[in-house]
Amino acid sequence: MTYDLERRLIISKNHIESFPPPGKKITIVFVIGGPGSGKGTQCAKIVKQFGFTHLSAGDLLREEAKYDTEQGTMIKNLMNEGKLVSSDLIVKLLFKAMRESGNDKFLVDGFPRNEENRHAYENIIHIEPEFLLFIDCSKEEMERRILNRNQGRDDDNIDTIRRRFDVFQQQTLPVIQYYEKRGELRKVDGNRQVDEVFEDVKAIFAQLNNQKNHDGEQAGGLSRAQMNPLKRWFFDFLCGCFGTKEARN
């Protein structure tokens, strides 16, 4: 059992083994991009169109940093210095958010940022992601966006921004390469306007939906109403032959 003594954030073996519940398929997509790449904006659009729950590692950490505790202060200082937070803590926060959400589809925004993140996730949450969506954006464009957005965040000064760029490039490239070798990388050009980027993103998630629907059909998991006309006709034919009218509903 792992304890966070400051916030009593607990993950037990029973919690891990009971998630997801029996018969429930969890869909997880990782979304990464440099600071200012627009990944948060794209995630919001995906949530609206495809029904995912958006879990931002950065937002979860910033929420934790609000607490006047040793851990909260540590997280705040690390973020202000442009450094990364403990992978185990990030995974615990993500796991807790997933269990409490009630949904079965998750966009994990800003994660995994490095190989340590990835290993921690695989060791704690034994659910393979569908793919890693990488919003690829130039350093110059990301810097311009961050300086213009004026969100009032303490970590949005020019020196911290550039340190965050350096950390991202040094530590995230191996993660991108890992998923690319596995055929699980989906990359889009993030230098364009939001709606142009989303056209590519939308196509990727539409393909995922189509694959899920196909897998459901193969597994016999569709109701009659969800079947295509030919499959529905064959289903009705079999029901008629065997007198199972109830199965048509």
Side-chain angles (χ1 to χ4, degrees):
M1 182 177 290
T2 303
Y3 292 87
D4 172 349
L5 296 178
E6 294 290 343
R7 291 289 312 284
R8 309 296 296 174
L9 181 62
I10 301 174
I11 294 179
S12 70
K13 184 178 180 182
N14 287 338
H15 284 149
I16 294 170
E17 291 178 348
S18 64
F19 183 80
K24 191 170 187 179
K25 174 70 168 65
I26 299 297
T27 299
I28 295 175
V29 173
F30 293 150
V31 184
I32 63 171
S37 62
K39 57 184 171 55
T41 300
Q42 294 301 318
C43 284
K45 286 180 166 291
I46 296 166
V47 167
K48 183 176 181 180
Q49 181 141 347
F50 296 99
F52 279 72
T53 292
H54 179 202
L55 299 178
S56 166
D59 287 348
L60 291 172
L61 288 169
R62 279 187 285 274
E63 179 64 25
E64 196 77 8
K66 293 178 182 178
Y67 291 89
D68 188 19
T69 63
E70 180 180 348
Q71 176 174 279
T73 301
M74 175 195 70
I75 291 173
K76 184 175 182 179
N77 290 340
L78 287 171
M79 293 177 71
N80 286 343
E81 293 169 9
K83 297 180 181 178
L84 299 179
V85 179
S86 158
S87 295
D88 285 348
L89 174 57
I90 295 172
V91 173
K92 286 192 292 180
L93 292 171
L94 288 171
F95 182 84
K96 181 174 182 288
M98 287 181 190
R99 289 186 73 247
E100 294 177 351
S101 75
N103 200 356
D104 59 1
K105 299 191 294 185
F106 302 97
L107 294 175
V108 185
D109 177 359
F111 183 92
R113 294 288 294 273
N114 55 34
E115 285 290 87
E116 182 183 288
N117 279 180
R118 182 177 67 78
H119 287 301
Y121 173 87
E122 291 175 354
N123 289 334
I124 296 174
I125 304 178
H126 308 292
I127 303 173
E128 283 283 332
E130 298 295 329
F131 53 79
L132 172 73
L133 176 64
F134 174 36
I135 311 296
D136 189 15
C137 194
S138 70
K139 184 175 180 179
E140 293 75 20
E141 177 63 17
M142 289 189 289
E143 183 174 314
R144 183 190 68 79
R145 290 176 182 177
I146 293 175
L147 292 175
N148 288 340
R149 71 187 181 184
N150 190 25
Q151 290 183 349
R153 279 169 42 181
D154 292 339
D155 58 348
D156 271 358
N157 64 73
I158 189 65
D159 290 335
T160 300
I161 289 168
R162 288 175 178 169
R163 283 197 296 270
R164 288 166 64 198
F165 287 153
D166 292 340
V167 169
F168 178 81
Q169 290 180 331
Q170 292 167 9
Q171 300 199 20
T172 308
L173 183 59
V175 175
I176 294 170
Q177 292 172 335
Y178 172 82
Y179 286 104
E180 185 172 28
K181 288 177 182 177
R182 291 168 58 95
E184 297 172 356
L185 177 68
R186 306 291 184 270
K187 182 166 70 172
V188 298
D189 179 5
N191 292 290
R192 300 166 295 165
Q193 294 297 314
V194 169
D195 289 341
E196 292 178 306
V197 176
F198 188 60
E199 284 302 309
D200 288 351
V201 171
K202 187 165 58 175
I204 291 169
F205 279 84
Q207 184 178 28
L208 175 62
N209 268 0
N210 290 339
Q211 181 61 48
K212 292 291 182 183
N213 290 338
H214 174 73
D215 291 345
E217 289 186 12
Q218 293 294 98
L222 293 179
S223 69
R224 180 182 179 277
Q226 292 173 308
M227 296 177 183
N228 63 49
L230 180 60
K231 187 178 289 291
R232 188 161 55 240
W233 176 88
F234 186 64
F235 181 81
D236 287 346
F237 174 77
L238 290 178
C239 289
C241 288
F242 293 99
T244 55
K245 294 182 180 179
E246 295 84 354
R248 298 188 184 191
N249 298 323

